[in-house]
Amino acid sequence: MKVILKRVYDEPEESDGLRIFVDRFWPRGMKKTSFKYDIWAKDITPSDDLRKLFHLDPEKNWDVFAKAYEAEMKASPSLDALLNQIKELHPSCVTLLYAFKNVQKNHAMIIQKVLEDRL
């Protein structure tokens, strides 16, 4: 199954398939009536401690964050619940939506990796 990443501010496309919002907090400036998503998976987002570590210095802390977040997510029952939801819906594509500005290093990339491994 194809898992792609998109910022929440990008226009939705039909090819997005199942759109999963993967941030804990609502994106700034985004009206609830205009944001199109199918699932809000805030329970699989990084813990507060990991999120704070990453935001202190995303470049410097990326490797530590990525490894710790992947382990944290794999140990979470919320990941299994999300995987079950995805499997029940049988989408041809899953689009993970995130608000973070850095498109090269963000938590959605870790989620993408884990989902691709498990789907």
Side-chain angles (χ1 to χ4, degrees):
M1 179 178 307
K2 185 174 169 184
V3 181
I4 61 173
L5 302 176
K6 250 186 174 177
R7 291 197 68 227
V8 297
Y9 306 104
D10 296 337
E11 288 294 318
E13 298 176 60
E14 197 159 318
S15 61
D16 289 345
L18 183 66
R19 293 172 52 90
I20 303 174
F21 178 41
V22 293
D23 283 352
R24 182 172 304 231
F25 304 108
W26 194 257
R28 293 178 189 205
M30 187 66 70
K31 293 181 181 178
K32 291 189 179 192
T33 56
S34 63
F35 181 35
K36 307 290 186 226
Y37 65 93
D38 301 301
I39 298 170
W40 186 358
K42 60 183 163 185
D43 292 338
I44 65 162
T45 60
S47 65
D48 285 340
D49 289 340
L50 278 180
R51 184 178 51 80
K52 289 174 185 174
L53 168 76
F54 179 61
H55 285 283
L56 281 174
D57 189 341
E59 290 299 318
K60 179 182 170 192
N61 296 331
W62 173 252
D63 291 334
V64 171
F65 167 80
K67 186 175 181 178
Y69 179 43
E70 185 172 346
E72 182 179 273
M73 195 177 5
K74 285 180 176 179
S76 169
S78 297
L79 175 63
D80 290 331
L82 178 61
L83 287 165
N84 288 336
Q85 276 185 290
I86 293 169
K87 288 175 183 176
E88 285 175 12
L89 295 169
H90 304 289
S92 58
C93 178
V94 171
T95 299
L96 303 178
L97 305 164
Y98 66 95
F100 195 60
K101 290 179 185 178
N102 188 330
V103 297
Q104 264 75 45
K105 293 182 179 176
N106 60 68
H107 73 287
M109 296 173 70
I110 310 303
I111 298 170
Q112 179 187 34
K113 179 184 179 291
V114 170
L115 291 182
E116 286 175 341
D117 290 347
R118 301 275 299 268
L119 290 173

